Structure formats: C-alpha cells, structure tokens
Amino acid sequence: MGFEDLVYRYVGGYKRLPDGVKSALTMPFRILPRSFYLGRTYRQTMETARRLEFASADEVAAYQWGELSRLLAHCHATVPHYRKTWGEIGLHPADIRSFDDFHRSVPRVTRDQVQADPLSFVSEAYPATSRLSMNTGGSTGKPLQLYYLKGLTRGAEWGHMHAYWRRFGFEPGWVTANLRGEFVGADRAYSYDPWRKLLMLSSFALTSETADQYLDRLAHHKVQLLNGYPSSLHLLTQLSRHDTVRIPSLRTIVLASENILDWQVEAISRFFGTDNVCWHYGHGEVVALGGACEKARNYHFMPSYGYVEWGGGLADRPDAVEIVATGFVNPLMPLVRYRTQDYGLPGTGACPCGRNHAWLTRVIGRRQELAIGTEGRAITLTALIFGRHAGYFHHIDQMQIVNTAPGHLVVRVVPNAHFGPADEQEIISMLSPAQGMPFSTTVEKVERVETTARGKQPFLIRCFPWADAEPQDGGAS
C-alpha cells in the first residue's frame, strides 16, 4: 500500500501545521522521491498510460476490452447493486462478448442511484479497512459518498495525472502550487508543504490584499507548475496590482474542476506571459480522465483510466453528447456505464496529435448548468453567456447567474472601475426575449460571488428543482 494512503486521514491537520513544523516532520521522508510514497501502482499506471499514449486503435481496443471483461466479472461476483439489478434482467458477464453487447445490454448507472445507496456499489471482495472514504459535492451541492481502494485508486489517479501533465513539460519532482479550495488554517492564506513540494494557496482567502502575496510566494518557492480553478486564477489576475507578472520558474499552468472558458484562458495566459496553459476533465467518481492534447487542445480520454462512450444530448444542443464512462481505477466501488451528467462536443475523424482515444473538442457543461426559461426551455451556459461576444466582459471581475424561477434571472457582477449603465443594459438586453432568450433579467452588483464549500465558483445557481431536466437520450454510440 502507498504510504500516502496510510497517512491520508491526517492530511487535513498536517496542512494546518506551521511551515517550520511541517519541514521538521517530513525531513526524514524527503530522502526518497514522492513517487516512492505514492506506491508501486503509481509507477505502473504511469508506465501503462504512456505506453497507450500513441498505441494503435486495435491495441487500445484490446486493452480496454480486457479491462472491461475483468471488471464485469468482478462486479457480478462481488458488488451487491450489480448482482441484484443484472440478476433481475437475466444478465451475466459471459453474455457480453463485444462492445456492442456491452452498450446494448448493460444498464447505465446514475448519480441518484449511487447517492441513494452508496454501500451497495462497494465490492465485498475487500475488507472495510481497505476503504478510503471520500466525497464529492458536484454541481448539485449534494455530497456524494464515495470509497476508494487504499493503495490503488489514489496512486492510479496520480499516475495518470502526471502522465498527462508530461505532455506539457512536467516532470515528477517539480515544485507545484494549487490555487483551489484549500483550507490551511483560520489565520493563513497560504502554506508550503516541503514533502510534496507543494505551495497551497487558498481560494477562500483570495482578496485584493492577498493576491500579490500569492504571486510573491510563487516566485519565492520557484513554482514550476501552477494548478487551479479557472475562476480563481482569473480572479487572481484581476485582483493583482500588476497587469502582467513574469515568474521565471513557471513552466506550465493547469486549469481544472470547472468549465474552461476561452476568455479566462486568454486572460490567464496574457497575465503570466505563457501559452503553455492546459486543462483536463475529471471528477471524484474516477470513471474518466480527459486531458488536452498539444496540437489542438481537444480532450483525449485516457484509455487505461476508463472506458468512455457517448450518451444522449441536450434539447438546445443536438450536437452535444453526454459523457458515460466505466472506471478502471477503483475496483472497490466500480461504476459501470456511469452517467456523468456532463456534456461535450464529440470529435470526428482523427485528431492532429495522432492519439487513438475517445475525444471531445469541448466540454460544454453539466445538466445542473442549465438555466430554465419560460415554457420550460433549457439553455446551456455556453449558449446563455459564454458563447457570445459581449463588451461587458472587459468591465467585470466576476459574474454569476441566479435562475430564481423559470424565466427569471438575476445576474450578479463584481464590477471593475469601467463598469457602467451601458454594461448593465447590455446584460439585460442579451438575455431578453428580443435576443431569443426566454428570460426577464435584472443585474445585481456585489462585492463577491457565491462559492461552493470546496471554493469553486458556480456560474449558474438554480433555485428550484426541475424534474423535466432529463436530457434527450440518444443511446450509446
């Protein structure tokens, strides 16, 4: 088992220790590289991910079919949910002889099913002591209880992540920084972990007073890779006293955990003076990991991480597909044909990078990120705001849309010094029936927008349930 999993329960308290205490405690462990403590799975996973990076389509399919076949047998024999639901329809893994059989016969799993009875998805093949309890909040705001397999899931996750980062120059051992939902103590905005060579910058404590302190810390610790929520990194660029900042050591910027918006990427790239900005798609359910490629920045789903297929689309985006995935890295709580409720635009033909992986040209949003207009019309955030050219983007630091009732929006903006009545009117006009949008809209100026418990900024808050939000289901392809 990886050493980090053994001490994982203590990580929260460790983060809050004074930096000097962390340095003294970890000094004996820093003799060996962190990869040693992540365990053998980490190293094996990275090797497999890199081997399949540019493998032929036949090699990728053969690998995935082998993993899928083993997983189906494991689920049928040891996981209560699958044993029950598959038994009710007379499904046996021996009947699944092809990907077509898999698509046609195996029922999909929903978040609601997992949320209602998470332990029914836990394999009986492992003792309770092997479980690493996790949870994910997601866009619904309702925590989802998850369990990872100690010694495997986190090591495999990091092995894949580091294999992906290497496309953009990363090497294990780099000094990294996180600007995410880190809590490092009530009276601190940042902390440095010498064991992981990780600078932790709290998105909760990011203000006009701390923004330039964060930038100073990045330079002081010679950070080489900066990883953060797009909304937090964009806000950092807006709150800094500087128009641009050059950090000589900084090589790579990674954006994750939120939708990636072009105007945020452009602002972050311009501020730090680098085009080496990448992004990936993933989530706590550990069923799919899609990383950008170097040639076209499409999302390529790593075949050793999970098997990805496409489900139905959205009413207002018939070209979109739902990401449906089966994960290979968590046999303790395997999710088979899991409906992620995330949507993207599928790639066609071959990507210029030459990878033979399932791929999307863009991730466009989640089912929870649908604004509901008059007559129940569902509008994605891209169609609502981010796919449109608007002058007011240059005059705000942050924005958030609150769908208070069907057909009614409140747009919260954190204005900068250039924001004026014309910008407010532009927002109202662009979201009006005159522009084809089924909303009446008001604008509210605020000092800061609402964030989740993990420090993410939801761009859309819907204040009411919408039972009809089930997307069109075009089946698997």
Side-chain angles (χ1 to χ4, degrees):
M1 179 184 297
F3 178 75
E4 286 204 5
D5 281 358
L6 290 174
V7 300
Y8 188 79
R9 70 176 68 181
Y10 308 111
V11 168
Y14 172 75
K15 288 179 181 179
R16 300 180 184 90
L17 292 174
D19 286 1
V21 174
K22 285 204 291 286
S23 181
L25 281 175
T26 61
M27 187 175 294
F29 300 101
R30 281 181 271 149
I31 297 172
L32 296 172
R34 187 191 173 201
S35 60
F36 174 82
Y37 299 105
L38 283 168
R40 182 170 55 187
T41 297
Y42 165 81
R43 297 184 290 276
Q44 291 175 337
T45 298
M46 184 182 291
E47 180 181 337
T48 301
R50 297 187 72 186
R51 176 170 58 83
L52 292 174
E53 189 91 25
F54 294 100
S56 69
D58 287 344
E59 288 176 299
V60 170
Y63 176 88
Q64 292 208 298
W65 180 248
E67 292 296 302
L68 205 55
S69 299
R70 283 187 287 273
L71 185 66
L72 290 174
H74 168 73
C75 289
H76 184 262
T78 72
V79 181
H81 172 85
Y82 301 114
R83 190 163 54 225
K84 178 178 182 293
T85 58
W86 294 357
E88 290 172 349
I89 61 174
L91 175 67
H92 192 280
D95 300 327
I96 308 301
R97 298 185 177 89
S98 67
F99 288 115
D100 285 342
D101 288 345
F102 179 70
H103 298 155
R104 183 171 52 250
S105 303
V106 179
R108 294 176 180 177
V109 168
T110 67
R111 180 189 173 99
D112 288 343
Q113 288 176 308
V114 179
Q115 199 157 38
D117 191 5
L119 287 174
S120 73
F121 287 87
V122 173
S123 170
E124 297 166 340
Y126 305 97
T129 53
S130 68
R131 300 173 190 171
L132 195 61
S133 181
M134 313 290 286
N135 66 74
T136 179
S139 302
T140 64
K142 295 167 62 178
L144 182 66
Q145 180 63 57
L146 301 167
Y147 299 96
Y148 293 174
L149 182 58
K150 288 181 180 178
L152 192 148
T153 304
R154 290 184 69 253
E157 172 83 6
W158 278 113
H160 281 96
M161 194 67 69
H162 284 179
Y164 157 60
W165 286 356
R166 292 184 86 150
R167 300 177 194 174
F168 297 90
F170 171 82
E171 291 293 339
W174 270 19
V175 180
T176 63
N178 284 349
L179 178 52
R180 301 167 64 90
E182 302 273 9
F183 179 70
V184 295
D187 301 319
R188 292 192 299 176
Y190 50 83
S191 179
Y192 184 71
D193 177 357
W195 180 25
R196 294 181 291 174
K197 295 185 179 179
L198 172 64
L199 174 64
M200 295 170 283
L201 307 170
S202 175
S203 62
F204 302 116
L206 177 58
T207 65
S208 56
E209 288 74 32
T210 61
D212 287 316
Q213 295 176 30
Y214 283 11
L215 295 168
D216 289 342
R217 290 294 89 191
L218 291 172
H220 174 79
H221 289 288
K222 297 181 172 58
V223 167
Q224 294 159 286
L225 182 143
L226 174 57
N227 178 22
Y229 298 150
S231 61
S232 295
L233 283 169
H234 179 257
L235 183 59
L236 174 67
T237 70
Q238 301 301 106
L239 294 177
S240 172
R241 297 189 308 270
H242 308 288
D243 293 329
T244 59
V245 166
R246 300 293 181 267
I247 298 171
S249 60
L250 186 62
R251 300 276 299 280
T252 306
I253 297 175
V254 180
L255 310 178
S257 301
E258 296 174 345
N259 278 357
I260 308 302
L261 307 172
D262 291 342
W263 57 274
Q264 289 178 325
V265 175
E266 291 168 6
I268 293 165
S269 177
R270 183 170 58 251
F271 182 83
F272 286 103
T274 178
D275 291 327
N276 201 28
V277 180
C278 59
W279 45 85
H280 68 265
Y281 165 88
H283 41 64
E285 293 94 320
V286 292
V287 293
L289 180 63
C293 78
E294 315 88 323
K295 301 292 186 182
R297 302 299 172 95
N298 295 318
Y299 289 84
H300 292 276
F301 289 89
M302 303 181 83
S304 51
Y305 193 96
Y307 175 71
V308 175
E309 53 184 295
W310 310 137
L314 296 164
D316 73 315
R317 288 301 301 266
D319 55 339
V321 292
E322 182 181 9
I323 300 167
V324 177
T326 301
F328 297 153
V329 301
N330 190 19
L332 175 68
M333 192 177 186
L335 299 180
V336 178
R337 303 198 77 203
Y338 181 71
R339 294 188 60 175
T340 64
Q341 300 183 343
D342 297 336
Y343 297 86
L345 304 180
T348 57
C351 178
C353 71
R355 291 182 177 87
N356 291 294
H357 303 171
W359 60 290
L360 297 172
T361 60
R362 192 178 191 89
V363 174
I364 63 171
R366 305 188 172 209
R367 178 171 180 258
Q368 295 82 12
E369 294 169 342
L370 297 172
I372 310 306
T374 54
E375 301 179 354
R377 288 181 59 192
I379 309 295
T380 61
L381 271 174
T382 301
L384 196 70
I385 295 290
F386 301 126
R388 312 174 78 186
H389 298 287
Y392 67 82
F393 278 152
H394 303 290
H395 300 158
I396 60 174
D397 290 339
Q398 292 177 287
M399 74 178 299
Q400 188 171 65
I401 300 169
V402 184
N403 197 184
T404 55
H408 297 277
L409 300 179
V410 175
V411 179
R412 297 171 179 164
V413 298
V414 179
N416 63 28
H418 305 289
F419 188 86
D423 299 299
E424 184 170 339
Q425 187 54 47
E426 183 183 22
I427 295 171
I428 293 171
S429 175
M430 291 186 74
L431 297 174
S432 70
Q435 293 287 325
M437 288 292 173
F439 303 104
S440 63
T441 303
T442 59
V443 176
E444 178 184 344
K445 287 182 278 189
V446 298
E447 292 185 359
R448 195 176 180 97
V449 301
E450 184 178 328
T451 59
T452 69
R454 295 176 182 269
K456 299 180 185 179
Q457 179 196 321
F459 280 100
L460 175 66
I461 298 173
R462 199 168 63 226
C463 299
F464 56 93
W466 189 50
D468 296 330
E470 190 68 22
Q472 300 171 347
D473 190 350
S477 59

